[in-house]
Structure formats: C-alpha cells, structure tokens
Amino acid sequence: MWRRLNELRLSVAYRTHARFKKCIRRFLSMGYLPVAVVRQNFQQFCASRETQRLIRRYPELRDFVLYLQRNYFDGNFPPLMWNVYNRDSDTRTNNFVEGEYN
C-alpha cells in the first residue's frame, strides 16, 4: 500500500498533513477489525464527510481507495487472507515466517 501511495505521489501529503495521515492509517488498520465488519467499515469510511473532503483536496486519494477496493476487498486478496483480528499476539502478522521468529 505504501508503494501505491508513492506511485500516486501522496507520500508528501501523508508526512505533512495530519488529517490525511489519519485517513490513510484508518485504511491500513482495517485488518484489525472483525472480518464480518471490514467491508461495511470500509464503505462507511469511504463515504464519510472527512474522507470525501480529503478526496476533493487530494484527487489521487480516490485512485488509492479504488486500488484498495479492487485488490483488498473485491479482488485477489479478500479480507480473510489479510485480516489479523482473531490471531493471537504472537502471530499478529500475515507473514507466517515472520510470526515464527517474534
């Protein structure tokens, strides 16, 4: 996801604009929600006033949101694959090899 932010030239906004950073971090934290509510929260957050205001200010953010939706909600990587909600604290990563060495 960070690579996509860089490709869209949004990394400067992430570093300098606190609300933008909070918005991106909320998208990134979706993996810590119960799987049953991930899609609903994603849709509600995308439709929120704050997110829409940021999209108007940073039009590339819409491309980032569409990227997330296509790849991590409706595409090759469904929420069951990357969600870490029910994992214990020793394996709170989606990289199982990394979880073995923590």
Side-chain angles (χ1 to χ4, degrees):
M1 290 184 207
W2 181 250
R3 185 180 310 163
R4 186 66 176 172
L5 278 173
N6 281 325
E7 289 171 2
L8 294 169
R9 295 187 172 104
L10 291 170
S11 57
V12 173
Y14 180 83
R15 287 192 298 267
T16 60
H17 190 245
R19 286 188 178 152
F20 185 85
K21 184 176 187 173
K22 184 177 179 181
C23 173
I24 298 300
R25 292 181 76 157
R26 284 187 70 182
F27 282 124
L28 298 178
S29 67
M30 296 275 171
Y32 295 100
L33 295 173
V35 175
V37 299
V38 168
R39 287 181 199 275
Q40 179 184 6
N41 276 280
F42 177 75
Q43 291 169 350
Q44 284 179 347
F45 184 60
C46 289
S48 73
R49 274 191 208 146
E50 181 65 26
T51 304
Q52 291 302 311
R53 194 174 304 129
L54 287 169
I55 287 173
R56 282 192 298 277
R57 184 169 178 181
Y58 304 100
E60 298 85 3
L61 182 57
R62 181 179 308 280
D63 295 334
F64 181 73
V65 171
L66 291 173
Y67 166 79
L68 292 178
Q69 185 172 6
R70 279 191 313 263
N71 290 295
Y72 295 100
F73 291 92
D74 299 332
N76 297 328
F77 307 105
L80 279 175
M81 184 179 282
W82 48 264
N83 189 278
V84 294
Y85 176 73
N86 279 329
R87 295 189 187 155
D88 60 18
S89 62
D90 293 333
T91 58
R92 262 199 186 231
T93 176
N94 58 1
N95 182 341
F96 295 106
V97 174
E98 186 177 298
E100 289 294 316
Y101 295 103
N102 284 336

